[in-house]
Amino acid sequence: RIMALPDEAPDDAEAEPAGTMEMLLVRVAEARYDEVSLFAVFDSYAQALHEIYPSLFNSDEEIRSSLGMDPLVHEVLFVRSLKLKPRWQGSSLGAQAIQTAASTLVTIGLVVANAHLGLSIDDWLDLGFVKIARQKGFYVCERTKKNRYGRAVL
């Protein structure tokens, strides 16, 4: 659930429900440690993860060099859906929710998102997302505890 406080709210106001975000977190490092196939993990979560797996990983289960991202990945956070109440649509709240989730859940890894979440191109760029060339309809962003968000080219 996404909670927000309106700009015009008094100082003692409580945050209100502003929308929902559905995410899946794949703990890549744990799967590797447990000697579980990453493909099997991605295949078991959701159809979208099954479809996106070959765009992220090569046959050796390493990050594709064509993504230009660090091959050391501990987690992959998949943002499946983002629904904001009408009052919050068109605001930066969705981008803030994705950034907060990534900062909280991903130490070293990737954030993958459905491109149809209602964010503006500027929001995607500000978060550092790029289109996945091999997979239409999804963006990817490298995430490390060093906040490396910056503008990119979509």
Side-chain angles (χ1 to χ4, degrees):
R1 186 193 299 185
I2 300 170
M3 302 294 286
L5 194 60
D7 289 335
E8 67 278 359
D11 291 340
D12 61 347
E14 298 273 329
E16 62 185 52
T20 59
M21 182 166 57
E22 183 181 354
M23 303 169 288
L24 297 169
L25 181 64
V26 179
R27 298 195 181 275
V28 174
E30 287 183 26
R32 287 183 172 143
Y33 180 79
D34 292 340
E35 298 180 0
V36 175
S37 160
L38 286 180
F39 175 78
V41 173
F42 274 70
D43 189 48
S44 68
Y45 266 108
Q47 183 62 29
L49 282 178
H50 168 83
E51 292 171 6
I52 204 161
Y53 174 86
S55 299
L56 299 176
F57 296 95
N58 63 24
S59 60
D60 294 326
E61 297 196 337
E62 296 172 350
I63 294 294
R64 289 193 171 281
S65 59
S66 61
L67 290 174
M69 298 183 179
D70 191 330
L72 180 62
V73 170
H74 291 190
E75 303 93 9
V76 173
L77 178 65
F78 178 62
V79 183
R80 184 187 226 162
S81 70
L82 174 70
K83 296 176 183 153
L84 297 176
K85 291 184 175 182
R87 172 184 189 161
W88 299 99
Q89 292 173 0
S91 72
S92 63
L93 186 60
Q96 291 171 11
I98 291 171
Q99 184 172 16
T100 299
S103 296
T104 304
L105 299 172
V106 180
T107 55
I108 299 172
L110 303 177
V111 181
V112 179
N114 183 324
H116 307 290
L117 297 180
L119 272 62
S120 70
I121 292 294
D122 284 338
D123 286 339
W124 288 116
L125 292 173
D126 288 343
L127 291 171
F129 279 87
V130 294
K131 285 183 182 178
I132 299 175
R134 298 173 51 110
Q135 184 73 37
K136 293 183 180 183
F138 293 95
Y139 293 134
V140 65
C141 175
E142 184 175 26
R143 173 77 186 132
T144 66
K145 283 300 178 191
K146 295 186 256 172
N147 193 356
R148 290 170 46 178
Y149 289 120
R151 292 188 74 80
V153 177
L154 290 182

